[in-house]
Amino acid sequence: MSLDAIKTVAVLGAGTMGNGIAHVFARAGYHVILRDVDQRFLDRGMETISKNLDREVKKGKLADADKPAVLGRINATTDQAKLATADFAVEAVPERLDLKLSVLREADSLLRPGVILASNTSSISVTTLAAATKRPEQFIGMHFMNPVPVMTLVEVIRAIQTNDTTFATTIALCEKLEKKPVAANDAPGFVSNRVLMPMINEAAFCVMEGVATAEAVDTVMKLGMNHPMGPLELADFIGLDVCVDILDVLYKGFGDSKYRACPLLRKLVAAGWLGRKSGRGFYKYA
Ligand SMILES: NC(=O)c1ccc[n+]([C@@H]2O[C@H](COP(=O)([O-])OP(=O)(O)OC[C@H]3O[C@@H](n4cnc5c(N)ncnc54)[C@H](O)[C@@H]3O)[C@@H](O)[C@H]2O)c1
């Protein structure tokens, strides 16, 4: 499907990433079918979109009068039959292979032939996901960053099966969203997590070995390397459980011990100290 033919975009999953993805498509003028399994997840997603749009109005990024129009372009639904009207689809359901495979197979059977199906996976092989569908050439990774309305990057990941038209259309679509697409080929962790996670892991080793405190490690990276956030603050923001899961993907995918997750990370996860979302990780949150 060509870029100009894309008017309606389906987003599967209205969670952290899905509502952000729906937000940026609707803001760019696309009609969005936002699908989740339960009305309360849709309500929560729409509430988040509304709050984030208010923030954009305050910052002068969006005219106050445009907010209702953006919200009006999003059709939040539990009815998956609506996928049949989509011209492009992005999957953003939880990072579990079995769940992704079943959601993608279902979407594949409902979407019209030729419609591109993208996954926002952060660590699962895009090639494996593509192979589960009957449209592997029209399958691609579209890795948005959190929070989606704020972060400019989209890592666009080609599965080995992805054809050139699918790739070119996806890149052009990211530009329509005023995002900066960066191309990568499918490999464990793509570029973002392959580079980021070993840094977070090494920072955790520094704390575990008593080289420095979490605050000190973060300060070194912020003031010395000009990172806006220290690696451990960032790990708390991402979720320490998510970090361990991604490190395990890298470790398994490459079979290289340099990706083994730091025992301190595993210990914090075992304690339920998952970072910001649980109120405690490397830091305590009110
Ligand atoms: N959170 C991040 O920082 C981040 C960053 C980049 C990529 N990702 C990736 O994005 C994806 C989604 O992550 P998230 O953090 O938004 O998860 P989340 O748990 O916040 O949201 C997932 C949503 O999917 C819904 N869902 C479950 N089954 C479904 C189904 N069958 N059909 C439709 N919806 C269904 C859930 O109800 C939930 O609302 C994952 O693949 C994750 O790895 C996450």
Side-chain angles (χ1 to χ4, degrees):
M1 178 139 336
S2 72
L3 181 66
D4 291 342
I6 299 172
K7 309 279 181 218
T8 301
V9 175
V11 179
L12 311 174
T16 309
M17 298 306 285
N19 75 59
I21 295 167
H23 173 143
V24 296
F25 273 107
R27 194 180 59 194
Y30 291 94
H31 290 278
V32 176
I33 299 160
L34 180 59
R35 204 250 154 185
D36 209 306
V37 287
D38 195 293
Q39 188 59 41
R40 69 201 155 99
F41 301 134
L42 292 168
D43 292 345
R44 200 176 52 194
M46 291 303 290
E47 214 173 283
T48 305
I49 295 172
S50 176
K51 276 192 205 141
N52 288 338
L53 286 171
D54 286 340
R55 201 168 295 154
E56 289 181 348
V57 169
K58 257 190 214 144
K59 281 190 190 158
K61 269 185 80 180
L62 183 79
D64 201 5
D66 290 341
K67 182 187 164 186
V70 174
L71 286 173
R73 282 194 285 272
I74 306 175
N75 175 1
T77 181
T78 54
D79 179 9
Q80 61 173 353
K82 296 234 171 85
L83 294 190
T85 61
D87 310 310
F88 190 95
V90 187
E91 167 275 310
V93 304
E95 190 80 344
R96 279 185 12 230
L97 180 62
D98 55 342
L99 177 67
K100 293 234 191 249
L101 291 177
S102 98
V103 168
L104 290 170
R105 283 191 187 114
E106 223 154 34
D108 184 35
S109 70
L110 293 164
L111 293 166
R112 302 195 313 284
V115 169
I116 296 171
L117 178 51
S119 173
N120 186 51
T121 181
S122 38
S123 63
I124 297 171
S125 157
V126 180
T127 302
T128 303
L129 297 178
T133 71
K134 294 196 174 73
R135 63 183 79 219
E137 295 187 340
Q138 281 87 35
F139 196 93
I140 196 155
M142 209 176 179
H143 187 204
F144 288 87
M145 304 291 131
N146 183 22
V148 181
V150 177
M151 301 295 278
T152 313
L153 176 71
V154 182
E155 216 176 3
V156 175
I157 301 120
R158 284 186 82 137
I160 198 167
Q161 307 97 317
T162 309
N163 69 22
D164 290 344
T165 310
T166 298
F167 175 69
T169 303
T170 307
I171 292 280
L173 194 55
C174 291
E175 284 161 355
K176 281 265 195 179
L177 302 178
E178 295 177 10
K179 299 287 180 201
K180 172 73 187 155
V182 172
N185 289 313
D186 189 25
F190 318 132
V191 174
S192 49
N193 282 320
R194 184 173 178 174
V195 175
L196 173 65
M197 288 300 157
M199 180 180 71
I200 287 175
N201 206 35
E202 211 53 46
F205 272 112
C206 284
V207 175
M208 186 182 81
E209 292 168 8
V211 176
T213 61
E215 289 84 353
V217 170
D218 281 344
T219 303
V220 166
M221 298 309 285
K222 281 190 287 191
L223 302 188
M225 317 301 158
N226 230 3
H227 289 199
M229 260 176 132
L232 299 170
E233 269 182 283
L234 181 56
D236 273 0
F237 179 74
I238 294 169
L240 303 185
D241 51 339
V242 175
C243 293
V244 168
D245 286 347
I246 297 174
L247 282 161
D248 284 344
V249 167
L250 292 169
Y251 182 57
K252 199 168 156 221
F254 291 110
D256 188 330
S257 64
K258 76 178 175 184
Y259 299 110
R260 76 206 183 286
C262 171
L264 176 60
L265 272 177
R266 289 198 194 278
K267 197 186 270 185
L268 296 180
V269 171
W273 298 354
L274 309 179
R276 264 181 193 278
K277 62 185 169 190
S278 71
R280 183 166 183 179
F282 283 97
Y283 298 95
K284 285 186 188 159
Y285 302 90

